Amino acid sequence: MSRQYAKLQNVVDEIRRVTDFVPTVAVVLGSGLGDFAKEIDKVAEVKYTSLSDFPVSTVSGHEGKFIFGKVGKTNVVCMQGRVHFYEGYTTKEVVMPIRIMKMLGAKTLVLTNAAGGLNSSFKVGDFMQITGHISSFVPSPLIGENVDELGERFPDMTEVYDKNLITYINDIASNLDIEIKQGVYLQTTGPNYETPEEIKMFGLLGADAVGMSTAVEAMVACSMGMKVAGISLITNLAAGLGNKLSHEEVKQVASEKTEVFKKLLYNVLENI
Ligand code: HPA
């Protein structure tokens, strides 16, 4: 057994002492979107601080716990709060909870985040399905000893975001009369927002939205054979395209869109 796998298994064992619930779908709630957790018919919860060697979120707007329970008939484990590279964790540490959720049984991962919009057709408050990502500005979470038990050394990244899930989420949104756009998400290190010059460059590279999470999580999930979906809420226009940026505004827009977001995510999970 690899050293990393043994460490992960230890955390899984700690969670298994609290609950034997087996999730099929894992969900990560982004900045200001943690309110969705109330919609889950909760069976158990585990605080990150109660687990050994576990990265703990330090950002306001990010709670720190796993919530286990049902959304309709679907068994979910939900991360209320994620950790970020900019908090000083390595990307390998950042993706540890994703590995844990896979080891607990999750086959599908739904990632959500708040992001800045680059695409000129995007408005503040829009939802965007992630169809692809650019993670090249942050170190790969797969660097170092490979966890052979969970995936191969050189994983293919041709289709990180599952095409069937993209169609499925589009159909759900359309039935609910919720507009959802599509685009490429680019992950930066943060914690600073970008300069207008960087945003211009990211636009040239093909990014439609920018944020400080998600791509490394999607990458590791893909390497473990999970089906991945990603939904961004465009909380602001990217630097230089609108007003000056602030975390307060990001949280404010997230809270204004929280009811629509909850409805969308509930329906996606219930019928998945
Ligand atoms: N840039 C980076 N991260 C973000 C942004 C942004 O404009 N908005 C929300 N998260």
Side-chain angles (χ1 to χ4, degrees), residues 172-234:
I172 297 267
S174 144
N175 287 341
L176 294 169
D177 226 2
I178 297 170
E179 192 187 2
I180 189 158
K181 296 182 169 159
Q182 297 192 342
V184 173
Y185 178 92
L186 183 147
Q187 178 171 358
T188 64
T189 65
N192 54 291
Y193 291 112
E194 302 69 36
T195 62
E197 293 74 19
E198 286 161 341
I199 291 301
K200 213 180 244 176
M201 170 178 73
F202 293 160
L204 290 171
L205 294 177
D208 296 295
V210 61
M212 306 174 193
S213 67
T214 304
V216 293
E217 296 158 335
M219 183 199 297
V220 82
C222 175
S223 80
M224 296 187 296
M226 294 177 90
K227 292 196 165 126
V228 182
I231 304 173
S232 295
L233 169 63
I234 305 299

Side-chain angles (χ1 to χ4, degrees), residues 17-64:
R17 267 172 236 138
V18 179
T19 179
D20 60 2
F21 187 85
V22 177
T24 55
V25 182
V27 184
V28 181
L29 298 174
S31 266
L33 301 171
D35 203 46
F36 176 79
K38 291 192 198 123
E39 304 297 309
I40 299 169
D41 191 2
K42 188 165 80 180
V43 170
E45 71 174 47
V46 177
K47 292 212 167 76
Y48 304 155
T49 48
S50 74
L51 299 169
S52 306
D53 295 324
F54 204 82
V56 176
S57 167
T58 57
V59 193
S60 87
H62 289 264
E63 308 262 338

Side-chain angles (χ1 to χ4, degrees), residues 60-215:
S60 87
H62 289 264
E63 308 262 338
K65 57 191 167 198
F66 287 117
I67 295 167
F68 295 85
K70 294 225 165 230
V71 175
K73 288 203 199 70
T74 310
N75 282 9
V76 304
V77 55
C78 176
M79 285 178 73
Q80 191 176 21
R82 57 153 61 90
V83 293
H84 301 82
F85 185 56
Y86 63 72
E87 293 175 79
Y89 295 108
T90 63
T91 52
K92 188 196 287 290
E93 288 167 324
V94 163
V95 302
M96 178 185 177
I98 308 293
R99 291 196 181 282
I100 299 290
M101 294 192 290
K102 157 79 177 170
M103 289 169 74
L104 290 167
K107 309 246 179 304
T108 300
L109 173 66
V110 180
L111 296 163
T112 70
N113 62 45
L118 276 82
N119 187 312
S120 59
S121 76
F122 290 179
K123 302 182 301 296
V124 170
D126 278 350
F127 292 105
M128 181 193 91
Q129 275 216 74
I130 304 177
T131 54
H133 73 222
I134 297 170
S135 71
S136 318
F137 293 91
V138 292
S140 169
L142 302 173
I143 290 172
E145 181 197 12
N146 189 47
V147 192
D148 292 331
E149 293 85 346
L150 295 177
E152 59 185 297
R153 173 78 288 190
F154 301 107
D156 177 66
M157 291 288 140
T158 307
E159 190 187 320
V160 175
Y161 300 88
D162 186 80
K163 287 215 163 60
N164 292 329
L165 278 176
I166 291 173
T167 310
Y168 163 73
I169 292 174
N170 238 4
D171 291 347
I172 297 267
S174 144
N175 287 341
L176 294 169
D177 226 2
I178 297 170
E179 192 187 2
I180 189 158
K181 296 182 169 159
Q182 297 192 342
V184 173
Y185 178 92
L186 183 147
Q187 178 171 358
T188 64
T189 65
N192 54 291
Y193 291 112
E194 302 69 36
T195 62
E197 293 74 19
E198 286 161 341
I199 291 301
K200 213 180 244 176
M201 170 178 73
F202 293 160
L204 290 171
L205 294 177
D208 296 295
V210 61
M212 306 174 193
S213 67
T214 304

